[in-house]
Amino acid sequence: MKKKFPAVLMILLVLSLGTISAAYLLHGQNEQLTNVLFISSSVLIFICIIYTIFYSRNSMRHISKMNKHLESSAAEFMNSLPAPVAVIDEQKQFVWYNQIFAEKIGLGQDVYGHDFEGFVKIDIDSLISNGTALCPVNGCIYDVTAEKFDKNDMSFLVLYFHDDTGYYAVKKSMDESHPNVVVITIDNYDDIMQNAKESEKAQTSVETEKLIENFMSKTNGFIKKTSPNTFFAILENRHLKSIIDGKFKILDAARNIKIAGKYPLTFSIGVGQGASSLAESENIARQCLDMALGRGGDQAVIKTENGYRFFGGVSKGVEKRSRSKTRIIANAMQDLIMHSERIFIMGHRFGDLDSVGAACGLAGALRLMGKEAYVAVDRSKNLATNLIDAVDDETKCGLFLTPYDAEEMIGTNDMLIVVDTHNKDFLESHELYEKAHSVVVIDHHRKTVNFIDDAVIFHHEPYASSASEMVTEIIQYFNYSGDEKLQNCFADALLAGIMLDTKNFVMRTGVRTFEAAAYLKKVGADTVAVKLLFSNSIDSYRRKTQIVASAKIHNNCAIAAADFRSDDIRVVAPQAADELLGISDVDASFVIYRTPNTVNISARSLGAVNVQVIMEQLGGGGHQTMAATQLEGVTVEEAVKSLIFAIDECAKNNI
């Protein structure tokens, strides 16, 4: 019809025009013929009009039939798809869906006109922006995609549901069966066993292996003993998850095993979860084990995307009696020192007697070796200025530098020694650390996440009482050129550091602590001079007693908030926390005080409460008996509420 329509119409139009032209030419000559021609042309034009109308109607009817046929075919095709399909309008309401959608998703319900988001839990806006979305419905998991189309000024959304239930079932099975390496070690095994009888060693070994076998019996994994105190296990995710949910109960069970009836065993556990291969899992497990040992042992550590998760850690660290590691560290340090041009030493921000004392004692020993050594300190932000002044007055050798001067001086052949901290965020000068090409760390604090990971030597001993004790042990193994001994002021500085962190040899003291103190006394430390370093003014004493008097008891914890500011608040607050431990039925003390930019919490305990774990919940850290944290953007009242919540959480978890 499309080909005939133009030819016929053209013939009719030509005849009409020819008739009209002939009529005009004969007009006035033959009136009768002219009338006939005009009538004929009118008839032809009328036929053209009728023909055009008739054709147009047939054409429109044909197009309409084609559209209906196409719509019917599309609907029939979509209805026969083996996957659920639905169409929703701009109001997110159902306007059409196929049979399989009604069966699998609608479950026989009539959902025409129903709200889509109320029936199927999918956010349409999120689906459109992301292009796809997961939709769990009636025990199945669908991958939903959307296609938008417009018609007659209306918008529709066609939703296709692809059944991925089988895929996710396989993925879940694969995830649950993914193997993980777990490393278990017995803390201080050699030190504990060295004086035990053979029968006691055998009994302990049997009990330990039986405990680990019971631990593994609830899984389908296996465990291998690689040394007298180390076990390697392979566990699937499904079983590891239940162990994590149970918070590693094996840690509590291990403490019930006692050598000779009095020395309890403790485990440290490193978990290599989330690795793509067994080799990577082993590497992560070893890192976690190092973290557990660096925090004092008796705990399990898991590495996550956001850092580390810790379980346990309720026991006190057991002192290592062997000094073989210290001797090896001292020899390695001496080699580095002798090959360095200058040595710079620094501690943590707001340095105390332990930080400054360890730095001074080490600098004094290095100068005896003929090396050029400096201590970088910011006197305006230091809690041991009286010690700095005493050493300066006695030595008069320009030992102390500002952090800025040290940053300007340090070169490629120089070495930096960091004492009394291993956390990058707490360094006296982060810029000095960044400029140093060779770094050595000496610290006794429990290991934190943001530790210095590029140190040439990382001497970390969480069992030591103080950094000053560790430095005292190290300098005994140095080889000095002459017969000179350590100057008295340096010995006093080291002894002051030990006395500060042990609370005058009451807290965290071991055999090696008293051996270090005896050595310092031997080389000339004056206990009276050291005692004077701890003296306060009468005004400081009044402020300390004011803080103590304001304390309140919560869950066997003394909490005091200092609502005043003073230049010596950083000295007074920790002293007040120590004083609060003398109150009956107080297991831990917390003093909250404000400095210009932060709210600070100083925490102390006698060992019954692990204040390190409490402070870690608030972003800080430290030791089981001595810790602290800094809070930004909060008031003192808000800090008190956060502290009480952290105390209650730890009490709930028996920490």
Side-chain angles (χ1 to χ4, degrees):
M1 184 174 284
K2 284 186 178 180
K3 292 180 181 179
K4 292 180 180 179
F5 170 69
V8 172
L9 184 59
M10 186 65 68
I11 293 171
L12 291 174
L13 288 175
V14 170
L15 290 174
S16 301
L17 292 174
T19 305
I20 294 172
S21 300
Y24 274 108
L25 290 172
L26 296 173
H27 183 65
Q29 299 178 12
N30 189 339
E31 192 69 28
Q32 185 178 357
L33 183 58
T34 301
N35 292 335
V36 171
L37 291 174
F38 272 116
I39 293 171
S40 299
S41 63
S42 299
V43 171
L44 289 173
I45 292 173
F46 178 75
I47 292 172
C48 287
I49 294 172
I50 295 300
Y51 189 88
T52 302
I53 293 173
F54 175 77
Y55 178 84
S56 299
R57 285 181 177 178
N58 284 342
S59 178
M60 291 300 294
R61 190 179 297 114
H62 175 75
I63 293 172
S64 177
K65 286 180 180 180
M66 289 295 293
N67 284 340
K68 287 181 180 179
H69 176 70
L70 287 172
E71 291 173 3
S72 175
S73 299
E76 194 174 319
F77 169 75
M78 293 170 68
N79 198 47
S80 64
L81 283 174
V85 181
V87 180
I88 61 174
D89 60 14
E90 293 176 316
Q91 285 72 43
K92 301 178 182 179
Q93 293 180 344
F94 286 100
V95 295
W96 185 90
Y97 52 87
N98 64 356
Q99 184 63 30
I100 196 169
F101 182 93
E103 294 174 358
K104 289 195 171 184
I105 298 179
L107 296 180
Q109 300 181 51
D110 184 6
V111 296
Y112 283 112
H114 284 63
D115 180 61
F116 175 79
E117 291 181 338
F119 187 78
V120 180
K121 304 301 181 183
I122 296 180
D123 184 3
I124 292 296
D125 296 330
S126 176
L127 171 61
I128 295 173
S129 61
N130 297 329
T132 183
L134 286 182
C135 175
V137 178
N138 302 328
C140 297
I141 301 177
Y142 294 94
D143 186 7
V144 184
T145 56
E147 183 178 350
K148 189 176 182 181
F149 72 94
D150 300 318
K151 181 178 180 181
N152 298 332
D153 298 328
M154 295 183 65
S155 291
F156 296 94
L157 206 63
V158 181
L159 305 175
Y160 303 92
F161 291 74
H162 179 70
D163 192 348
D164 282 341
T165 307
Y167 164 76
Y168 283 101
V170 173
K171 183 177 183 298
K172 181 181 179 182
S173 177
M174 291 289 292
D175 290 342
E176 289 181 344
S177 62
H178 187 79
N180 305 278
V181 176
V182 178
V183 185
I184 304 174
T185 185
I186 303 173
D187 298 328
N188 296 332
Y189 181 82
D190 294 333
D191 291 340
I192 295 175
M193 288 290 197
Q194 64 182 356
N195 296 321
K197 298 177 181 178
E198 293 301 320
S199 59
E200 293 171 344
K201 293 179 182 178
Q203 182 181 356
T204 302
S205 179
V206 170
E207 291 182 9
T208 302
E209 292 182 17
K210 187 180 294 184
L211 171 63
I212 292 178
E213 286 174 3
N214 291 335
F215 168 71
M216 293 296 297
S217 64
K218 299 176 183 178
T219 73
N220 60 0
F222 70 91
I223 192 163
K224 180 71 174 177
K225 186 176 182 179
T226 58
S227 71
N229 68 321
T230 306
F231 300 81
F232 272 75
I234 304 294
L235 292 174
E236 292 184 352
N237 268 337
R238 59 168 64 89
H239 302 296
L240 183 58
K241 184 178 183 300
S242 63
I243 293 170
I244 295 172
D245 292 340
K247 298 182 179 179
F248 290 88
K249 293 181 180 179
I250 190 174
L251 296 172
D252 299 325
R255 297 187 205 103
N256 296 326
I257 301 175
K258 296 184 178 180
I259 302 173
K262 55 184 177 181
Y263 301 116
L265 284 183
T266 58
F267 287 166
S268 290
I269 303 175
V271 181
Q273 189 180 33
S276 59
S277 65
L278 283 175
E280 183 185 357
S281 180
E282 182 194 4
N283 186 40
I284 294 174
R286 290 185 181 277
Q287 291 177 14
C288 292
L289 181 63
D290 289 342
M291 178 65 74
L293 293 172
R295 290 165 54 85
D298 186 31
Q299 56 194 285
V301 179
I302 300 174
K303 191 174 184 179
T304 66
E305 293 180 356
N306 300 321
Y308 291 89
R309 289 183 66 191
F310 304 100
F311 301 86
V314 299
S315 297
K316 293 182 180 179
V318 180
E319 179 189 28
K320 290 185 178 179
R321 298 180 182 178
S322 174
R323 297 174 62 177
S324 57
K325 178 183 176 182
T326 303
R327 176 177 52 80
I328 294 171
I329 293 292
N331 291 335
M333 278 187 59
Q334 183 162 323
D335 288 341
L336 286 174
I337 290 167
M338 299 310 295
H339 288 88
S340 300
E341 184 176 343
R342 292 172 298 192
I343 296 91
F344 295 85
I345 310 168
M346 73 171 173
H348 54 76
R349 294 197 313 267
F350 299 101
D352 54 15
L353 287 174
D354 186 31
S355 175
V356 177
C360 289
L362 187 56
L366 296 181
R367 295 213 167 194
L368 279 180
M369 297 168 62
K371 301 302 294 184
E372 190 177 348
Y374 300 97
V375 179
V377 293
D378 185 352
R379 295 187 188 226
S380 64
K381 297 179 181 179
N382 200 282
L383 309 180
T385 52
N386 49 353
L387 174 59
I388 296 173
D389 294 338
V391 173
D392 241 353
D393 291 341
E394 186 168 339
T395 59
K396 294 183 173 59
C397 61
L399 181 67
F400 298 99
L401 298 174
T402 66
Y404 177 78
D405 290 338
E407 293 164 21
E408 294 295 315
M409 289 177 60
I410 194 167
T412 56
N413 296 324
D414 300 331
M415 185 174 73
L416 173 67
I417 301 178
V418 177
V419 296
D420 203 31
T421 185
H422 62 270
N423 193 312
K424 297 177 183 178
D425 296 333
F426 299 156
L427 294 174
E428 179 79 82
S429 171
H430 191 79
E431 291 75 15
L432 180 59
Y433 160 70
E434 291 290 343
K435 286 189 174 183
H437 291 265
S438 179
V439 179
V440 172
V441 176
I442 303 173
D443 188 31
H444 69 114
H445 293 98
R446 288 194 172 192
K447 205 167 188 179
T448 59
V449 174
N450 192 26
F451 61 91
I452 296 173
D453 54 3
D454 59 349
V456 179
I457 297 176
F458 192 88
H459 185 30
H460 181 236
E461 186 58 82
Y463 312 98
S465 69
S466 57
S468 296
E469 176 189 322
M470 297 175 67
V471 169
T472 301
E473 290 183 343
I474 289 172
I475 63 177
Q476 294 180 53
Y477 292 102
F478 284 166
N479 296 320
Y480 302 108
S481 55
D483 295 331
E484 294 184 41
K485 66 176 184 178
L486 199 67
Q487 284 184 258
N488 292 348
C489 63
F490 296 126
D492 292 345
L494 289 169
L495 185 59
I498 295 174
M499 291 178 64
L500 174 73
D501 276 12
T502 60
K503 303 295 178 287
N504 295 326
F505 299 98
V506 173
M507 306 293 297
R508 297 178 52 80
T509 53
V511 174
R512 289 167 60 173
T513 308
F514 289 103
E515 289 177 351
Y519 169 79
L520 294 173
K521 184 66 178 174
K522 179 181 177 180
V523 297
D526 185 352
T527 53
V528 175
V530 172
K531 180 65 176 177
L532 292 175
L533 295 174
F534 290 86
S535 61
N536 290 329
S537 67
I538 186 64
D539 292 332
S540 296
Y541 188 81
R542 288 195 183 102
R543 283 188 282 271
K544 180 175 69 175
T545 55
Q546 181 182 346
I547 295 173
V548 173
S550 67
K552 296 181 180 179
I553 308 299
H554 174 79
N555 207 355
N556 285 35
C557 296
I559 302 174
D563 56 357
F564 59 85
R565 294 185 182 181
S566 64
D567 294 337
D568 60 352
I569 189 65
R570 290 186 178 274
V571 176
V572 172
Q575 292 177 351
D578 293 332
E579 290 287 334
L580 288 169
L581 291 178
I583 301 174
S584 300
D585 299 325
V586 170
D587 296 327
S589 62
F590 302 87
V591 174
I592 303 172
Y593 60 97
R594 176 175 288 283
T595 51
N597 299 320
T598 60
V599 171
N600 307 269
I601 303 178
S602 183
R604 300 289 186 271
S605 83
L606 295 173
V609 175
N610 191 337
V611 293
Q612 178 203 6
V613 177
I614 296 174
M615 292 295 97
E616 283 180 342
Q617 290 191 43
L618 300 176
H623 283 292
Q624 183 177 11
T625 58
M626 182 168 57
T629 189
Q630 296 179 343
L631 305 175
E632 296 183 356
V634 300
T635 63
V636 172
E637 292 75 16
E638 291 171 342
V640 171
K641 292 179 181 178
S642 299
L643 174 62
I644 291 174
F645 178 79
I647 292 172
D648 292 341
E649 283 294 306
C650 289
K652 187 189 304 181
N653 296 323
N654 297 320
I655 296 177

